[in-house]
Amino acid sequence: MSNDELLRRHDATGRDRCAGAAAGLAAAPSLHTAVVTCMDCRIDEQALFGLEPGDVHVLRNAGGVVTDDVVRSLVISQRKLGTREVLLVQHTGCGMATFTDDEFTEELAQETGLVPSWRPQAFADAATNVRRGITRLSSDPFLLKDIDIRGFVLDIEAFTLTEVTPA
Ligand SMILES: [Zn+2]
C-alpha cells in the first residue's frame, strides 16, 4: 500500500528533515502571504516559488478553487496568523476542466443514489476562474480589506506564470 510507503519514507528521512527545517520557526508565515493552488500532483509550490518551511501558508484543493473552506482558512490565516497577501494559482491542463458540475453530480447520483450537498465547482477556463476567485476574495466580509491579491495561470508544461487581471 502506498500509505505504508509514505510512512516508511517518514521514518527513513522525512521526520529528521522536517524537524531540522522547522527548528525555531514561528507558526505565523514569515512572508505574510498565503498561496492557494490546485492539488495537481505536478505542482510543487515549494520549488515553484523557492519556498522554505515557515515562509507561507499553502492551501490546495481540486482546482485551486476559492471555496467556502478556502475562505475559512484565509480568514484564520489573516486574522490569527498575520498574513496580508494572497497568491491564487490555477493551471492549464487541470482535471477540473474535463467534466462539468452537472455531469459529475449525475455520475455520483447514478452510482450512489445520493446527490452531494456540495458543488464540484468544475471550470472550463482557468483564467476566468482565477478572476472569479479574486472577486470573491475581494468582496468577502470577513477577510481583511486592503490586502494584496494576485492571480495567475500556471502553464503545467513550461511552468511559466501568466498574471490574470482582476475583473
Ligand atoms: Zn488542477
Side-chain angles (χ1 to χ4, degrees), residues 35-85:
V35 177
V36 178
T37 193
C38 183
M39 67 184 186
D40 192 295
C41 65
R42 296 168 290 184
I43 298 173
D44 177 350
E45 76 284 345
Q46 308 291 322
L48 192 62
F49 296 112
L51 297 174
E52 301 290 342
D55 282 348
V56 302
H57 281 151
V58 178
L59 307 176
R60 299 183 68 166
N61 65 21
V65 177
V66 179
T67 61
D68 288 349
D69 196 63
V70 164
V71 171
R72 178 188 71 88
S73 292
L74 288 174
V75 170
I76 294 167
S77 173
Q78 293 181 356
R79 293 181 178 271
K80 295 297 184 188
L81 290 156
T83 63
R84 293 294 179 268
E85 301 178 40

